[in-house]
């Protein structure tokens, strides 16, 4: 199957700083990428959907000025958590669709963010 | 509203068979996915059903009944490595956005 690489896998940052998470499709062009957040023992919550070259569509309740998403190319999308606070600590996962697959979206490995 | 229900936790014995159910109520339906997720890792794709019936893939099978808003994932010959959470997700339309169930934590005992 197609490979989606997410980096970093773990990050610890101080409260008030910003963190950038990268999501890359390694062997296909991702026309659409999704960003999820998952709290312990809970399901994946969609944060936003981004299409290459256009602004991301955010889900209700997600602050677009706090979670900046850039999908500048067909192989890279980034999520920047700005002015991070401890409540932003979570598992962030990206997924991408495109290429030869007509059904599934492929997931990155996830990023465990801890804000101290 | 959108609603996907799965049992929170199930326990089964190594070598046995287990069925994980998923019921959904969504405004639109364009396929149902099952994913496996180990703790601290991203989900991995198991199956996709868009038509009624049973899809078999090795030890795993998935069933769908659109009229009943119901699916199940059947795991045979359980192995310890099958201990994980199993997530049911529904795609409502041609967009690839998924609505996720909370997941079923499956515990395999020797």
């Amino acid at each position: 199957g197609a490979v989606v690489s997410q980096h970093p896998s773990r990050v610890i940052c101080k409260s008030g700083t910003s963190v950038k998470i990268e999501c890359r499709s390694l062997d296909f062009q991702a026309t659409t990428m999704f960003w999820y957040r998952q709290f312990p023992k809970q399901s994946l919550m969609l944060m936003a959907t981004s299409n290459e070259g256009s602004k991301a569509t955010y889900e209700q309740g997600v602050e677009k000025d706090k979670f900046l998403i850039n999908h500048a190319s067909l192989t890279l999308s980034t999520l920047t958590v700005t002015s991070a606070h401890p409540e932003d600590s979570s598992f962030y996962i990206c997924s991408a669709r495109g290429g030869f697959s007509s059904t599934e979206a492929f997931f990155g490995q996830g990023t465990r963010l801890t804000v101290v | 509203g959108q609603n996907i229900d799965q049992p929170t936790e199930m326990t089964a014995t190594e070598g046995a068979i287990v069925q994980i159910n998923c019921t959904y109520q969504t405004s639109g339906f364009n396929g149902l996915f099952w994913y496996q997720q180990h703790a601290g890792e991203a989900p991995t794709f198991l199956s996709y059903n868009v038509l009624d019936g049973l899809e078999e893939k090795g030890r795993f099978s998935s069933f769908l009944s659109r009229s009943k808003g119901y699916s199940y994932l059947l795991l045979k010959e359980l192995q310890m490595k099958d201990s994980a959470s199993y997530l049911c997700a529904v795609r409502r339309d041609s967009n690839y956005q998924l609505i996720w169930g909370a997941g079923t934590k499956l515990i395999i005992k020797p």
Side-chain angles (χ1 to χ4, degrees), chain B residues 31-79:
Chain B
L32 185 143
F33 295 80
W34 283 96
Y35 281 83
Q36 180 191 62
Q37 185 179 28
H38 285 99
E41 299 180 11
T44 55
F45 172 80
L46 291 178
S47 68
Y48 170 71
N49 294 68
V50 66
L51 299 176
D52 291 349
L54 186 67
E55 295 276 345
E56 296 186 77
K57 190 186 297 184
R59 294 190 299 116
F60 294 3
S61 301
S62 57
F63 171 84
L64 174 68
S65 170
R66 288 172 296 172
S67 62
K68 296 182 180 178
Y70 168 70
S71 172
Y72 68 71
L73 179 69
L74 189 72
L75 293 78
K76 304 176 184 177
E77 302 171 14
L78 287 170
Q79 302 175 8

